[in-house]
Amino acid sequence: MNYLHRAALPALGAAILFGASTPFAKQLIGEGFSAFSPFLLAGLLYLGSGSGLSMIRLIRDRGWKSSGLPRQEWPWLLGAITFGGVVGPLLLMVGLTHTAAATTSLFLNLESVLTAVLAWVAFREQTDRRIVFGMLLIVLGGVVLAWSGSESATSVIGPLALVGACMAWAIDNNLTRKVSASDALFIAGSKGLVAGCVNIVLGVSLGAAFPSAGHISAAMVIGFFGYGLSLVLFVLALRGLGTARTGAYFSTAPFVGAALSIAMLGEPTSFAFWLATGLMAAGVWLHLTERHVHEHQHTSLNHGHKHRNDEHHQHNHDFEWDGVEPHSHEHQHTEIRHSHGHFPDIHHRHAHR
């Protein structure tokens, strides 16, 4: 299994966990969460994520340790927390209250499109016609869902909120890419704790009442798996795939959510639903089967992250290394020119003619 295949596994794992969280979160709405509860539910989801990941990090490090995040990367992380941890989940909860879970799950495929557009336009990530065509199919599927006239959406508020959530997460994904070489547990845990506290305070200040202990526990467990562990895997995938490609793999999440929604909640489907499913599936397939190979130049680079001593990591160690792979330390990359299959990961952010 090569490096690119290894990088795809955490992206697909993140998609499965997040996709499965949507129908479970939908079940909580209307059961234990009432007025202004989208704030409160979003807060509990992320608080479950942050507290669980922080506990894992404490156990892993045998106590509290510095994050090691470089000073210049803190603004990127804070921006990612704001858009991905506060704005995004809030809009998702609003969308869920006005839209059926199966339709919501497929609609969220637009996140990968907006993520890719920002990556290409604002962050100059490489693309080609195959990727663009795949994204167009996903967009077309979203349009079918939004304008099908299906009873799945009770008002225009639902689709608009879902589009807003997708845009917020697209911004988050591109900002997180800037810090993806750092500790994934710290990045995801910090987002969960800050976003959880902010949303809970907003919900309570607007009059939301806490549900039963059982509903609180359920929300936090869903958040730990669907938002916490999913985000950790997503950050790991960003290192190996780049933002647009990771978003494409992650766009399989709505299909997981849609399948569970139909199976668990017995939600009806329509011709428009299955047409959108086919269009989005075709777009995702084009992304998953992409191959990108050409001769390229690596410039000198100094950074730190978990790695193996592969063709991109041929360096000496200034400490006694026990030979365990993978391992993590700050290391220097020298200039090299070669050709192989790759994506715009943390080592392949070069320009294309």
Side-chain angles (χ1 to χ4, degrees), residues 278-314:
L279 290 169
M280 291 180 172
V284 169
W285 178 82
L286 287 174
H287 280 254
L288 296 179
T289 55
E290 181 211 6
R291 293 295 180 267
H292 180 70
V293 181
H294 66 93
E295 188 175 31
H296 54 277
Q297 177 76 34
H298 290 271
T299 59
S300 180
L301 174 66
N302 188 60
H303 64 178
H305 62 90
K306 185 174 290 188
H307 62 278
R308 299 173 184 271
N309 278 14
D310 54 22
E311 60 182 323
H312 294 102
H313 297 91
Q314 298 296 324

PDB file of all heavy atoms in Angstrom, residues 278-314:
ATOM      1  N   GLY A 278     -27.337   9.822  -7.700  1.00  0.00           N
ATOM      2  CA  GLY A 278     -26.547   9.353  -8.827  1.00  0.00           C
ATOM      3  C   GLY A 278     -25.557  10.391  -9.317  1.00  0.00           C
ATOM      4  O   GLY A 278     -24.390  10.071  -9.614  1.00  0.00           O
ATOM      5  N   LEU A 279     -25.990  11.647  -9.414  1.00  0.00           N
ATOM      6  CA  LEU A 279     -25.096  12.710  -9.856  1.00  0.00           C
ATOM      7  C   LEU A 279     -23.928  12.904  -8.895  1.00  0.00           C
ATOM      8  O   LEU A 279     -22.766  13.024  -9.313  1.00  0.00           O
ATOM      9  CB  LEU A 279     -25.880  14.020  -9.995  1.00  0.00           C
ATOM     10  CG  LEU A 279     -26.890  14.082 -11.146  1.00  0.00           C
ATOM     11  CD1 LEU A 279     -27.781  15.305 -11.002  1.00  0.00           C
ATOM     12  CD2 LEU A 279     -26.165  14.099 -12.488  1.00  0.00           C
ATOM     13  N   MET A 280     -24.241  12.921  -7.597  1.00  0.00           N
ATOM     14  CA  MET A 280     -23.185  13.118  -6.606  1.00  0.00           C
ATOM     15  C   MET A 280     -22.245  11.925  -6.556  1.00  0.00           C
ATOM     16  O   MET A 280     -21.026  12.076  -6.410  1.00  0.00           O
ATOM     17  CB  MET A 280     -23.804  13.382  -5.231  1.00  0.00           C
ATOM     18  CG  MET A 280     -24.514  14.710  -5.129  1.00  0.00           C
ATOM     19  SD  MET A 280     -25.224  14.964  -3.485  1.00  0.00           S
ATOM     20  CE  MET A 280     -25.746  16.676  -3.623  1.00  0.00           C
ATOM     21  N   ALA A 281     -22.792  10.731  -6.689  1.00  0.00           N
ATOM     22  CA  ALA A 281     -21.951   9.530  -6.672  1.00  0.00           C
ATOM     23  C   ALA A 281     -20.975   9.533  -7.843  1.00  0.00           C
ATOM     24  O   ALA A 281     -19.803   9.163  -7.704  1.00  0.00           O
ATOM     25  CB  ALA A 281     -22.814   8.276  -6.710  1.00  0.00           C
ATOM     26  N   ALA A 282     -21.453   9.965  -9.028  1.00  0.00           N
ATOM     27  CA  ALA A 282     -20.570  10.040 -10.195  1.00  0.00           C
ATOM     28  C   ALA A 282     -19.456  11.049  -9.968  1.00  0.00           C
ATOM     29  O   ALA A 282     -18.294  10.808 -10.325  1.00  0.00           O
ATOM     30  CB  ALA A 282     -21.388  10.408 -11.434  1.00  0.00           C
ATOM     31  N   GLY A 283     -19.804  12.190  -9.378  1.00  0.00           N
ATOM     32  CA  GLY A 283     -18.790  13.199  -9.094  1.00  0.00           C
ATOM     33  C   GLY A 283     -17.752  12.710  -8.112  1.00  0.00           C
ATOM     34  O   GLY A 283     -16.542  12.940  -8.286  1.00  0.00           O
ATOM     35  N   VAL A 284     -18.198  12.020  -7.073  1.00  0.00           N
ATOM     36  CA  VAL A 284     -17.267  11.478  -6.079  1.00  0.00           C
ATOM     37  C   VAL A 284     -16.365  10.421  -6.717  1.00  0.00           C
ATOM     38  O   VAL A 284     -15.152  10.370  -6.457  1.00  0.00           O
ATOM     39  CB  VAL A 284     -18.048  10.867  -4.893  1.00  0.00           C
ATOM     40  CG1 VAL A 284     -17.115  10.070  -3.978  1.00  0.00           C
ATOM     41  CG2 VAL A 284     -18.732  11.973  -4.096  1.00  0.00           C
ATOM     42  N   TRP A 285     -16.929   9.576  -7.589  1.00  0.00           N
ATOM     43  CA  TRP A 285     -16.134   8.530  -8.233  1.00  0.00           C
ATOM     44  C   TRP A 285     -15.007   9.133  -9.069  1.00  0.00           C
ATOM     45  O   TRP A 285     -13.886   8.625  -9.076  1.00  0.00           O
ATOM     46  CB  TRP A 285     -17.042   7.676  -9.113  1.00  0.00           C
ATOM     47  CG  TRP A 285     -16.283   6.609  -9.859  1.00  0.00           C
ATOM     48  CD1 TRP A 285     -15.875   5.396  -9.408  1.00  0.00           C
ATOM     49  CD2 TRP A 285     -15.815   6.700 -11.221  1.00  0.00           C
ATOM     50  NE1 TRP A 285     -15.183   4.711 -10.382  1.00  0.00           N
ATOM     51  CE2 TRP A 285     -15.137   5.488 -11.503  1.00  0.00           C
ATOM     52  CE3 TRP A 285     -15.913   7.679 -12.218  1.00  0.00           C
ATOM     53  CZ2 TRP A 285     -14.556   5.244 -12.741  1.00  0.00           C
ATOM     54  CZ3 TRP A 285     -15.340   7.434 -13.447  1.00  0.00           C
ATOM     55  CH2 TRP A 285     -14.674   6.228 -13.697  1.00  0.00           C
ATOM     56  N   LEU A 286     -15.287  10.231  -9.770  1.00  0.00           N
ATOM     57  CA  LEU A 286     -14.246  10.877 -10.564  1.00  0.00           C
ATOM     58  C   LEU A 286     -13.085  11.342  -9.688  1.00  0.00           C
ATOM     59  O   LEU A 286     -11.922  11.272 -10.086  1.00  0.00           O
ATOM     60  CB  LEU A 286     -14.837  12.073 -11.330  1.00  0.00           C
ATOM     61  CG  LEU A 286     -15.744  11.738 -12.515  1.00  0.00           C
ATOM     62  CD1 LEU A 286     -16.372  13.004 -13.085  1.00  0.00           C
ATOM     63  CD2 LEU A 286     -14.953  11.012 -13.603  1.00  0.00           C
ATOM     64  N   HIS A 287     -13.411  11.790  -8.491  1.00  0.00           N
ATOM     65  CA  HIS A 287     -12.359  12.239  -7.575  1.00  0.00           C
ATOM     66  C   HIS A 287     -11.576  11.060  -7.006  1.00  0.00           C
ATOM     67  O   HIS A 287     -10.343  11.100  -6.909  1.00  0.00           O
ATOM     68  CB  HIS A 287     -12.980  13.058  -6.443  1.00  0.00           C
ATOM     69  CG  HIS A 287     -13.281  14.466  -6.842  1.00  0.00           C
ATOM     70  ND1 HIS A 287     -12.539  15.531  -6.417  1.00  0.00           N
ATOM     71  CD2 HIS A 287     -14.238  14.977  -7.666  1.00  0.00           C
ATOM     72  CE1 HIS A 287     -13.031  16.651  -6.933  1.00  0.00           C
ATOM     73  NE2 HIS A 287     -14.061  16.333  -7.689  1.00  0.00           N
ATOM     74  N   LEU A 288     -12.296  10.048  -6.610  1.00  0.00           N
ATOM     75  CA  LEU A 288     -11.625   8.919  -5.965  1.00  0.00           C
ATOM     76  C   LEU A 288     -10.721   8.156  -6.924  1.00  0.00           C
ATOM     77  O   LEU A 288      -9.790   7.471  -6.488  1.00  0.00           O
ATOM     78  CB  LEU A 288     -12.671   7.964  -5.376  1.00  0.00           C
ATOM     79  CG  LEU A 288     -13.541   8.516  -4.250  1.00  0.00           C
ATOM     80  CD1 LEU A 288     -14.538   7.473  -3.788  1.00  0.00           C
ATOM     81  CD2 LEU A 288     -12.684   8.964  -3.077  1.00  0.00           C
ATOM     82  N   THR A 289     -10.978   8.250  -8.218  1.00  0.00           N
ATOM     83  CA  THR A 289     -10.187   7.498  -9.199  1.00  0.00           C
ATOM     84  C   THR A 289      -9.153   8.376  -9.905  1.00  0.00           C
ATOM     85  O   THR A 289      -8.535   7.955 -10.877  1.00  0.00           O
ATOM     86  CB  THR A 289     -11.105   6.856 -10.257  1.00  0.00           C
ATOM     87  OG1 THR A 289     -11.928   7.866 -10.858  1.00  0.00           O
ATOM     88  CG2 THR A 289     -11.999   5.803  -9.617  1.00  0.00           C
ATOM     89  N   GLU A 290      -8.938   9.588  -9.408  1.00  0.00           N
ATOM     90  CA  GLU A 290      -7.956  10.486 -10.032  1.00  0.00           C
ATOM     91  C   GLU A 290      -6.527   9.994  -9.799  1.00  0.00           C
ATOM     92  O   GLU A 290      -6.196   9.458  -8.743  1.00  0.00           O
ATOM     93  CB  GLU A 290      -8.084  11.891  -9.442  1.00  0.00           C
ATOM     94  CG  GLU A 290      -7.116  12.892 -10.045  1.00  0.00           C
ATOM     95  CD  GLU A 290      -6.690  13.973  -9.064  1.00  0.00           C
ATOM     96  OE1 GLU A 290      -7.073  13.864  -7.882  1.00  0.00           O
ATOM     97  OE2 GLU A 290      -5.970  14.891  -9.473  1.00  0.00           O
ATOM     98  N   ARG A 291      -5.661  10.192 -10.798  1.00  0.00           N
ATOM     99  CA  ARG A 291      -4.225   9.919 -10.655  1.00  0.00           C
ATOM    100  C   ARG A 291      -3.455  11.122 -11.183  1.00  0.00           C
ATOM    101  O   ARG A 291      -3.705  11.599 -12.289  1.00  0.00           O
ATOM    102  CB  ARG A 291      -3.825   8.654 -11.441  1.00  0.00           C
ATOM    103  CG  ARG A 291      -4.426   7.383 -10.889  1.00  0.00           C
ATOM    104  CD  ARG A 291      -3.902   7.080  -9.482  1.00  0.00           C
ATOM    105  NE  ARG A 291      -4.488   5.861  -8.943  1.00  0.00           N
ATOM    106  CZ  ARG A 291      -5.570   5.815  -8.188  1.00  0.00           C
ATOM    107  NH1 ARG A 291      -6.205   6.948  -7.904  1.00  0.00           N
ATOM    108  NH2 ARG A 291      -6.030   4.680  -7.725  1.00  0.00           N
ATOM    109  N   HIS A 292      -2.499  11.624 -10.402  1.00  0.00           N
ATOM    110  CA  HIS A 292      -1.749  12.827 -10.753  1.00  0.00           C
ATOM    111  C   HIS A 292      -0.258  12.524 -10.666  1.00  0.00           C
ATOM    112  O   HIS A 292       0.276  12.298  -9.576  1.00  0.00           O
ATOM    113  CB  HIS A 292      -2.129  13.951  -9.780  1.00  0.00           C
ATOM    114  CG  HIS A 292      -1.425  15.247 -10.042  1.00  0.00           C
ATOM    115  ND1 HIS A 292      -1.687  16.031 -11.138  1.00  0.00           N
ATOM    116  CD2 HIS A 292      -0.461  15.892  -9.339  1.00  0.00           C
ATOM    117  CE1 HIS A 292      -0.931  17.105 -11.098  1.00  0.00           C
ATOM    118  NE2 HIS A 292      -0.167  17.039 -10.028  1.00  0.00           N
ATOM    119  N   VAL A 293       0.416  12.467 -11.825  1.00  0.00           N
ATOM    120  CA  VAL A 293       1.834  12.122 -11.884  1.00  0.00           C
ATOM    121  C   VAL A 293       2.553  13.091 -12.811  1.00  0.00           C
ATOM    122  O   VAL A 293       2.095  13.328 -13.932  1.00  0.00           O
ATOM    123  CB  VAL A 293       2.052  10.679 -12.406  1.00  0.00           C
ATOM    124  CG1 VAL A 293       3.533  10.339 -12.421  1.00  0.00           C
ATOM    125  CG2 VAL A 293       1.275   9.675 -11.573  1.00  0.00           C
ATOM    126  N   HIS A 294       3.678  13.655 -12.372  1.00  0.00           N
ATOM    127  CA  HIS A 294       4.537  14.465 -13.230  1.00  0.00           C
ATOM    128  C   HIS A 294       5.848  14.739 -12.494  1.00  0.00           C
ATOM    129  O   HIS A 294       5.946  14.556 -11.279  1.00  0.00           O
ATOM    130  CB  HIS A 294       3.860  15.796 -13.613  1.00  0.00           C
ATOM    131  CG  HIS A 294       3.640  16.717 -12.450  1.00  0.00           C
ATOM    132  ND1 HIS A 294       4.530  17.696 -12.069  1.00  0.00           N
ATOM    133  CD2 HIS A 294       2.609  16.801 -11.569  1.00  0.00           C
ATOM    134  CE1 HIS A 294       4.068  18.347 -11.023  1.00  0.00           C
ATOM    135  NE2 HIS A 294       2.899  17.821 -10.689  1.00  0.00           N
ATOM    136  N   GLU A 295       6.841  15.174 -13.237  1.00  0.00           N
ATOM    137  CA  GLU A 295       8.110  15.531 -12.613  1.00  0.00           C
ATOM    138  C   GLU A 295       7.940  16.862 -11.891  1.00  0.00           C
ATOM    139  O   GLU A 295       7.334  17.798 -12.419  1.00  0.00           O
ATOM    140  CB  GLU A 295       9.207  15.652 -13.677  1.00  0.00           C
ATOM    141  CG  GLU A 295      10.601  15.827 -13.083  1.00  0.00           C
ATOM    142  CD  GLU A 295      11.686  15.832 -14.139  1.00  0.00           C
ATOM    143  OE1 GLU A 295      11.398  16.292 -15.270  1.00  0.00           O
ATOM    144  OE2 GLU A 295      12.808  15.370 -13.857  1.00  0.00           O
ATOM    145  N   HIS A 296       8.460  16.945 -10.677  1.00  0.00           N
ATOM    146  CA  HIS A 296       8.291  18.149  -9.878  1.00  0.00           C
ATOM    147  C   HIS A 296       9.516  18.403  -9.011  1.00  0.00           C
ATOM    148  O   HIS A 296      10.311  17.500  -8.745  1.00  0.00           O
ATOM    149  CB  HIS A 296       7.035  18.045  -9.005  1.00  0.00           C
ATOM    150  CG  HIS A 296       7.004  16.819  -8.141  1.00  0.00           C
ATOM    151  ND1 HIS A 296       6.571  15.593  -8.604  1.00  0.00           N
ATOM    152  CD2 HIS A 296       7.376  16.611  -6.851  1.00  0.00           C
ATOM    153  CE1 HIS A 296       6.661  14.692  -7.638  1.00  0.00           C
ATOM    154  NE2 HIS A 296       7.151  15.287  -6.567  1.00  0.00           N
ATOM    155  N   GLN A 297       9.638  19.632  -8.549  1.00  0.00           N
ATOM    156  CA  GLN A 297      10.788  20.067  -7.767  1.00  0.00           C
ATOM    157  C   GLN A 297      10.370  20.326  -6.319  1.00  0.00           C
ATOM    158  O   GLN A 297       9.392  21.019  -6.066  1.00  0.00           O
ATOM    159  CB  GLN A 297      11.368  21.358  -8.355  1.00  0.00           C
ATOM    160  CG  GLN A 297      12.543  21.952  -7.584  1.00  0.00           C
ATOM    161  CD  GLN A 297      13.829  21.194  -7.836  1.00  0.00           C
ATOM    162  OE1 GLN A 297      14.043  20.690  -8.939  1.00  0.00           O
ATOM    163  NE2 GLN A 297      14.681  21.089  -6.816  1.00  0.00           N
ATOM    164  N   HIS A 298      11.107  19.729  -5.376  1.00  0.00           N
ATOM    165  CA  HIS A 298      10.920  20.026  -3.955  1.00  0.00           C
ATOM    166  C   HIS A 298      11.933  21.080  -3.532  1.00  0.00           C
ATOM    167  O   HIS A 298      13.131  20.941  -3.805  1.00  0.00           O
ATOM    168  CB  HIS A 298      11.139  18.762  -3.110  1.00  0.00           C
ATOM    169  CG  HIS A 298      10.065  17.734  -3.258  1.00  0.00           C
ATOM    170  ND1 HIS A 298       8.943  17.719  -2.467  1.00  0.00           N
ATOM    171  CD2 HIS A 298       9.939  16.695  -4.119  1.00  0.00           C
ATOM    172  CE1 HIS A 298       8.171  16.694  -2.820  1.00  0.00           C
ATOM    173  NE2 HIS A 298       8.754  16.065  -3.833  1.00  0.00           N
ATOM    174  N   THR A 299      11.476  22.124  -2.885  1.00  0.00           N
ATOM    175  CA  THR A 299      12.383  23.144  -2.354  1.00  0.00           C
ATOM    176  C   THR A 299      12.780  22.779  -0.933  1.00  0.00           C
ATOM    177  O   THR A 299      12.170  21.905  -0.304  1.00  0.00           O
ATOM    178  CB  THR A 299      11.715  24.527  -2.361  1.00  0.00           C
ATOM    179  OG1 THR A 299      10.522  24.481  -1.559  1.00  0.00           O
ATOM    180  CG2 THR A 299      11.347  24.941  -3.778  1.00  0.00           C
ATOM    181  N   SER A 300      13.790  23.439  -0.412  1.00  0.00           N
ATOM    182  CA  SER A 300      14.242  23.185   0.952  1.00  0.00           C
ATOM    183  C   SER A 300      13.147  23.570   1.942  1.00  0.00           C
ATOM    184  O   SER A 300      12.501  24.612   1.802  1.00  0.00           O
ATOM    185  CB  SER A 300      15.510  23.993   1.232  1.00  0.00           C
ATOM    186  OG  SER A 300      15.965  23.758   2.546  1.00  0.00           O
ATOM    187  N   LEU A 301      12.913  22.703   2.911  1.00  0.00           N
ATOM    188  CA  LEU A 301      11.817  22.917   3.863  1.00  0.00           C
ATOM    189  C   LEU A 301      12.190  22.354   5.221  1.00  0.00           C
ATOM    190  O   LEU A 301      12.797  21.284   5.328  1.00  0.00           O
ATOM    191  CB  LEU A 301      10.546  22.227   3.351  1.00  0.00           C
ATOM    192  CG  LEU A 301       9.319  22.208   4.260  1.00  0.00           C
ATOM    193  CD1 LEU A 301       8.783  23.619   4.472  1.00  0.00           C
ATOM    194  CD2 LEU A 301       8.231  21.313   3.684  1.00  0.00           C
ATOM    195  N   ASN A 302      11.842  23.081   6.266  1.00  0.00           N
ATOM    196  CA  ASN A 302      12.100  22.630   7.629  1.00  0.00           C
ATOM    197  C   ASN A 302      10.781  22.631   8.400  1.00  0.00           C
ATOM    198  O   ASN A 302      10.126  23.673   8.533  1.00  0.00           O
ATOM    199  CB  ASN A 302      13.113  23.549   8.330  1.00  0.00           C
ATOM    200  CG  ASN A 302      13.536  22.996   9.683  1.00  0.00           C
ATOM    201  OD1 ASN A 302      14.083  21.909   9.772  1.00  0.00           O
ATOM    202  ND2 ASN A 302      13.268  23.742  10.737  1.00  0.00           N
ATOM    203  N   HIS A 303      10.342  21.457   8.861  1.00  0.00           N
ATOM    204  CA  HIS A 303       9.103  21.369   9.635  1.00  0.00           C
ATOM    205  C   HIS A 303       9.122  20.087  10.468  1.00  0.00           C
ATOM    206  O   HIS A 303      10.061  19.300  10.404  1.00  0.00           O
ATOM    207  CB  HIS A 303       7.865  21.446   8.737  1.00  0.00           C
ATOM    208  CG  HIS A 303       7.723  20.311   7.770  1.00  0.00           C
ATOM    209  ND1 HIS A 303       6.662  20.170   6.909  1.00  0.00           N
ATOM    210  CD2 HIS A 303       8.524  19.225   7.513  1.00  0.00           C
ATOM    211  CE1 HIS A 303       6.799  19.087   6.175  1.00  0.00           C
ATOM    212  NE2 HIS A 303       7.906  18.481   6.527  1.00  0.00           N
ATOM    213  N   GLY A 304       8.057  19.885  11.245  1.00  0.00           N
ATOM    214  CA  GLY A 304       7.969  18.705  12.085  1.00  0.00           C
ATOM    215  C   GLY A 304       6.599  18.069  12.009  1.00  0.00           C
ATOM    216  O   GLY A 304       5.583  18.767  12.041  1.00  0.00           O
ATOM    217  N   HIS A 305       6.556  16.740  11.875  1.00  0.00           N
ATOM    218  CA  HIS A 305       5.299  16.003  11.848  1.00  0.00           C
ATOM    219  C   HIS A 305       5.626  14.509  11.917  1.00  0.00           C
ATOM    220  O   HIS A 305       6.794  14.101  11.768  1.00  0.00           O
ATOM    221  CB  HIS A 305       4.508  16.305  10.564  1.00  0.00           C
ATOM    222  CG  HIS A 305       5.210  15.893   9.310  1.00  0.00           C
ATOM    223  ND1 HIS A 305       5.065  14.653   8.735  1.00  0.00           N
ATOM    224  CD2 HIS A 305       6.104  16.547   8.525  1.00  0.00           C
ATOM    225  CE1 HIS A 305       5.813  14.562   7.654  1.00  0.00           C
ATOM    226  NE2 HIS A 305       6.456  15.693   7.503  1.00  0.00           N
ATOM    227  N   LYS A 306       4.616  13.677  12.114  1.00  0.00           N
ATOM    228  CA  LYS A 306       4.826  12.230  12.146  1.00  0.00           C
ATOM    229  C   LYS A 306       5.089  11.736  10.731  1.00  0.00           C
ATOM    230  O   LYS A 306       4.364  12.083   9.801  1.00  0.00           O
ATOM    231  CB  LYS A 306       3.597  11.528  12.746  1.00  0.00           C
ATOM    232  CG  LYS A 306       3.783  10.024  12.928  1.00  0.00           C
ATOM    233  CD  LYS A 306       2.595   9.412  13.671  1.00  0.00           C
ATOM    234  CE  LYS A 306       2.578   9.848  15.135  1.00  0.00           C
ATOM    235  NZ  LYS A 306       1.532   9.111  15.909  1.00  0.00           N
ATOM    236  N   HIS A 307       6.137  10.928  10.549  1.00  0.00           N
ATOM    237  CA  HIS A 307       6.515  10.495   9.210  1.00  0.00           C
ATOM    238  C   HIS A 307       7.276   9.177   9.262  1.00  0.00           C
ATOM    239  O   HIS A 307       7.677   8.701  10.319  1.00  0.00           O
ATOM    240  CB  HIS A 307       7.407  11.554   8.541  1.00  0.00           C
ATOM    241  CG  HIS A 307       8.700  11.783   9.271  1.00  0.00           C
ATOM    242  ND1 HIS A 307       8.801  12.614  10.373  1.00  0.00           N
ATOM    243  CD2 HIS A 307       9.948  11.272   9.077  1.00  0.00           C
ATOM    244  CE1 HIS A 307      10.050  12.602  10.813  1.00  0.00           C
ATOM    245  NE2 HIS A 307      10.775  11.800  10.047  1.00  0.00           N
ATOM    246  N   ARG A 308       7.451   8.589   8.088  1.00  0.00           N
ATOM    247  CA  ARG A 308       8.281   7.413   7.899  1.00  0.00           C
ATOM    248  C   ARG A 308       9.498   7.813   7.062  1.00  0.00           C
ATOM    249  O   ARG A 308       9.436   8.780   6.303  1.00  0.00           O
ATOM    250  CB  ARG A 308       7.498   6.298   7.186  1.00  0.00           C
ATOM    251  CG  ARG A 308       6.277   5.820   7.944  1.00  0.00           C
ATOM    252  CD  ARG A 308       5.446   4.853   7.113  1.00  0.00           C
ATOM    253  NE  ARG A 308       4.230   4.462   7.810  1.00  0.00           N
ATOM    254  CZ  ARG A 308       4.120   3.427   8.635  1.00  0.00           C
ATOM    255  NH1 ARG A 308       5.189   2.656   8.828  1.00  0.00           N
ATOM    256  NH2 ARG A 308       3.001   3.143   9.244  1.00  0.00           N
ATOM    257  N   ASN A 309      10.557   7.057   7.133  1.00  0.00           N
ATOM    258  CA  ASN A 309      11.743   7.358   6.339  1.00  0.00           C
ATOM    259  C   ASN A 309      11.560   6.860   4.905  1.00  0.00           C
ATOM    260  O   ASN A 309      12.156   5.882   4.479  1.00  0.00           O
ATOM    261  CB  ASN A 309      12.992   6.728   6.981  1.00  0.00           C
ATOM    262  CG  ASN A 309      13.541   7.600   8.097  1.00  0.00           C
ATOM    263  OD1 ASN A 309      12.859   8.518   8.544  1.00  0.00           O
ATOM    264  ND2 ASN A 309      14.744   7.324   8.530  1.00  0.00           N
ATOM    265  N   ASP A 310      10.680   7.582   4.159  1.00  0.00           N
ATOM    266  CA  ASP A 310      10.404   7.227   2.778  1.00  0.00           C
ATOM    267  C   ASP A 310      11.246   8.097   1.847  1.00  0.00           C
ATOM    268  O   ASP A 310      12.223   8.718   2.271  1.00  0.00           O
ATOM    269  CB  ASP A 310       8.910   7.384   2.488  1.00  0.00           C
ATOM    270  CG  ASP A 310       8.391   8.769   2.852  1.00  0.00           C
ATOM    271  OD1 ASP A 310       9.207   9.722   2.925  1.00  0.00           O
ATOM    272  OD2 ASP A 310       7.170   8.915   3.052  1.00  0.00           O
ATOM    273  N   GLU A 311      10.855   8.165   0.581  1.00  0.00           N
ATOM    274  CA  GLU A 311      11.655   8.904  -0.393  1.00  0.00           C
ATOM    275  C   GLU A 311      11.683  10.399  -0.131  1.00  0.00           C
ATOM    276  O   GLU A 311      12.564  11.107  -0.637  1.00  0.00           O
ATOM    277  CB  GLU A 311      11.122   8.654  -1.808  1.00  0.00           C
ATOM    278  CG  GLU A 311       9.673   9.079  -2.014  1.00  0.00           C
ATOM    279  CD  GLU A 311       9.186   8.769  -3.429  1.00  0.00           C
ATOM    280  OE1 GLU A 311       9.998   8.907  -4.367  1.00  0.00           O
ATOM    281  OE2 GLU A 311       8.028   8.369  -3.579  1.00  0.00           O
ATOM    282  N   HIS A 312      10.737  10.898   0.664  1.00  0.00           N
ATOM    283  CA  HIS A 312      10.725  12.321   0.994  1.00  0.00           C
ATOM    284  C   HIS A 312      11.384  12.609   2.339  1.00  0.00           C
ATOM    285  O   HIS A 312      11.520  13.768   2.720  1.00  0.00           O
ATOM    286  CB  HIS A 312       9.280  12.842   1.022  1.00  0.00           C
ATOM    287  CG  HIS A 312       8.607  12.820  -0.310  1.00  0.00           C
ATOM    288  ND1 HIS A 312       7.695  11.857  -0.668  1.00  0.00           N
ATOM    289  CD2 HIS A 312       8.740  13.629  -1.392  1.00  0.00           C
ATOM    290  CE1 HIS A 312       7.276  12.073  -1.900  1.00  0.00           C
ATOM    291  NE2 HIS A 312       7.894  13.129  -2.366  1.00  0.00           N
ATOM    292  N   HIS A 313      11.756  11.592   3.055  1.00  0.00           N
ATOM    293  CA  HIS A 313      12.339  11.783   4.389  1.00  0.00           C
ATOM    294  C   HIS A 313      13.639  10.991   4.512  1.00  0.00           C
ATOM    295  O   HIS A 313      13.731  10.037   5.278  1.00  0.00           O
ATOM    296  CB  HIS A 313      11.349  11.363   5.478  1.00  0.00           C
ATOM    297  CG  HIS A 313      10.105  12.188   5.505  1.00  0.00           C
ATOM    298  ND1 HIS A 313       8.976  11.850   4.806  1.00  0.00           N
ATOM    299  CD2 HIS A 313       9.825  13.366   6.132  1.00  0.00           C
ATOM    300  CE1 HIS A 313       8.043  12.768   5.006  1.00  0.00           C
ATOM    301  NE2 HIS A 313       8.524  13.696   5.806  1.00  0.00           N
ATOM    302  N   GLN A 314      14.636  11.411   3.750  1.00  0.00           N
ATOM    303  CA  GLN A 314      15.968  10.815   3.809  1.00  0.00           C
ATOM    304  C   GLN A 314      16.876  11.787   4.552  1.00  0.00           C
ATOM    305  O   GLN A 314      17.561  12.611   3.967  1.00  0.00           O
ATOM    306  CB  GLN A 314      16.490  10.548   2.396  1.00  0.00           C
ATOM    307  CG  GLN A 314      15.650   9.558   1.600  1.00  0.00           C
ATOM    308  CD  GLN A 314      15.649   8.163   2.217  1.00  0.00           C
ATOM    309  OE1 GLN A 314      16.659   7.712   2.760  1.00  0.00           O
ATOM    310  NE2 GLN A 314      14.524   7.488   2.129  1.00  0.00           N
TER     311      GLN A 314
END
